[in-house]
Amino acid sequence: MATVALYNMEGAKTGSMEVSDAIFAAEVNKDVLHTVVVNYLANQRQGTQSTKTRTEVRGGGAKPWRQKGTGRARQGSIRAPQWTGGGVALGPKPRSYRYSVNKKVKRIALKSALSAKYAEYQVYVIDGLEVDEIKTAKIAALLKGLEVNKKALIVTAEADEKIYKSARNIKGVTPTHVGTLNTYDVLNHDAFIISKDAVAKIEEVLA
């Protein structure tokens, strides 16, 4: 089985533990990763952009000049797209960009993302990832001990308000829990910091 190092809250190595090969040492499927990441980003889009067409722009009710005899091109309205202040032709309108991806595909993508992090030695398992009080300094000390100075994803088994509020103020650090873990967040962070009990829960869910 795959093996990862165990660390304490000071970032010091205390031992090692075995993790599931099917989750942390699986084949990385780049096509599935691309599919799921594109889907995630599309679903984050608000789709609220909007432009006015020639029928929605105020004014332009009268024909600017007669059809024939002026020597100029025929025009029906000063709110046509070619006029300054006119409507927009084929512009964006509010719409939903959401679409779904098969759950099986999402599971394969998450396994691939976790396996990619493991292969790059970016998985840090913390034995007893918890704080007694909301204190940013404690999470900062953990990151310093682990020598993590880039973007980091901190994952707990359950939603932990103390961990969340202690970590959210640190630039590049995103606290989350297993219930909301997704492929994009795993790939979008350099370090994957996870509690020991969260690893067990991930293995239970993705087994």
Side-chain angles (χ1 to χ4, degrees):
M1 292 184 72
T3 304
V4 294
L6 273 176
Y7 300 87
N8 59 22
M9 282 299 292
E10 285 71 46
K13 186 175 179 180
T14 59
S16 62
M17 66 174 287
E18 292 185 339
V19 292
S20 172
D21 287 341
I23 298 172
F24 289 93
E27 180 182 354
V28 178
N29 191 323
K30 293 183 179 180
D31 290 336
V32 170
L33 284 176
H34 179 267
T35 298
V36 172
V37 168
V38 171
N39 169 253
Y40 176 84
L41 293 176
N43 290 347
Q44 301 307 302
R45 297 183 67 175
Q46 290 183 320
T48 55
Q49 71 274 42
S50 182
T51 54
K52 289 184 177 182
T53 65
R54 60 185 295 169
T55 62
E56 296 169 321
V57 178
R58 184 175 180 178
K63 187 173 175 66
W65 51 75
R66 59 197 176 98
Q67 183 80 347
K68 292 177 178 292
T70 65
R72 290 179 289 185
R74 54 193 174 188
Q75 301 290 330
S77 170
I78 62 171
R79 292 296 177 254
Q82 73 271 21
W83 285 74
T84 299
V88 176
L90 307 177
K93 284 291 184 183
R95 54 163 289 195
S96 172
Y97 290 89
R98 294 191 65 86
Y99 67 96
S100 60
V101 170
N102 191 292
K103 286 184 179 180
K104 184 177 180 180
V105 174
K106 288 184 178 181
R107 290 166 66 91
I108 294 173
L110 185 53
K111 289 180 181 180
S112 293
L114 293 172
S115 297
K117 288 299 172 188
Y118 175 80
E120 295 169 0
Y121 303 100
Q122 294 178 336
V123 176
Y124 303 87
V125 180
I126 311 301
D127 190 4
L129 179 56
E130 57 185 5
V131 292
D132 298 328
E133 57 182 335
I134 299 172
K135 197 84 171 174
T136 301
K138 293 189 176 182
I139 302 298
L142 170 62
L143 297 174
K144 185 177 180 180
L146 295 174
E147 297 182 355
V148 172
N149 52 16
K150 296 183 179 180
K151 296 177 69 175
L153 183 68
I154 299 178
V155 184
T156 55
E158 305 289 344
D160 189 322
E161 184 181 17
K162 291 180 180 178
I163 291 290
Y164 176 79
K165 290 187 176 180
S166 297
R168 66 180 179 179
N169 289 334
I170 304 175
K171 184 178 180 181
V173 176
T174 303
T176 186
H177 59 92
V178 173
T180 59
L181 186 64
N182 62 78
T183 300
Y184 177 78
D185 281 343
V186 174
L187 295 177
N188 193 41
H189 292 80
D190 298 293
F192 183 74
I193 302 171
I194 183 170
S195 65
K196 184 178 179 180
D197 51 346
V199 171
K201 191 166 185 178
I202 286 178
E203 291 180 340
E204 180 184 346
V205 171
L206 296 181

